[in-house]
Amino acid sequence: MADTLQFDLVSPERLLASVEATEVQIPGAEGDMTAMPDHAPLITTLRPGILKVMSAGGDAEYVVTGGFAEINAGSISVLAEQAVPRDEITQEMFKSMIDAATDRLAKTQDAYENEPGPVDEAAKLLADMVAMGDEIGLSAN
């Protein structure tokens, strides 16, 4: 059994991390999960939350707003819709994320007036964003 796995975190703007990790905690759409070396192959979608990476160089946390994670026996690749190192996120940045989620919910409600599925998904996205803000100590207001 290997002691580490290759971890890469990519957002549309840049490569945020490429390290040999011992453990990665992922905010999956179906629930939080921890991936370690020799994890079974898996692809999952992400919900807004905190992605945590443990490595010999220290632990790192990233705020992600969604995307995908691909887990293989020796690697994890995360393609995030938006990702920011936790220690770099500001109240202004978080407010912008909340505003985008609120706008998405309003547009979805207009477009799918009698279809609860898409509206429910947009409402959950906004609720997950607010919960993430609570976890990192930032206000949605």
Side-chain angles (χ1 to χ4, degrees):
M1 182 170 123
D3 293 337
T4 63
L5 48 80
Q6 177 61 39
F7 171 75
D8 295 303
L9 172 60
V10 180
S11 74
E13 297 84 24
R14 64 185 170 147
L15 172 68
L16 283 103
S18 183
V19 299
E20 288 292 320
T22 56
E23 178 180 325
V24 179
Q25 295 176 4
I26 300 168
E30 300 297 321
D32 291 347
M33 62 184 303
T34 300
M36 299 172 76
D38 295 325
H39 193 285
L42 172 76
I43 295 177
T44 186
T45 54
L46 303 177
R47 66 169 169 70
I50 307 299
L51 185 136
K52 300 176 184 179
V53 182
M54 288 65 151
S55 70
D59 298 347
E61 295 184 347
Y62 300 89
V63 173
V64 295
T65 60
F68 298 91
E70 179 180 9
I71 303 168
N72 291 303
S75 67
I76 299 175
S77 297
V78 174
L79 305 172
E81 290 175 4
Q82 189 173 12
V84 180
R86 182 176 175 169
D87 58 355
E88 292 180 17
I89 194 158
T90 64
Q91 178 64 46
E92 183 178 301
M93 292 168 74
F94 180 68
K95 177 79 167 85
S96 175
M97 291 176 184
I98 290 291
D99 290 346
T102 301
D103 186 51
R104 182 174 176 177
L105 175 58
K107 287 179 180 177
T108 303
Q109 287 171 325
D110 289 342
Y112 298 96
E113 189 172 330
N114 293 317
E115 298 178 50
V119 175
D120 291 345
E121 290 172 13
K124 182 173 182 338
L125 174 72
L126 179 58
D128 287 343
M129 293 291 293
V130 171
M132 178 181 61
D134 291 344
E135 183 178 343
I136 62 177
L138 296 176
S139 171
N141 296 325

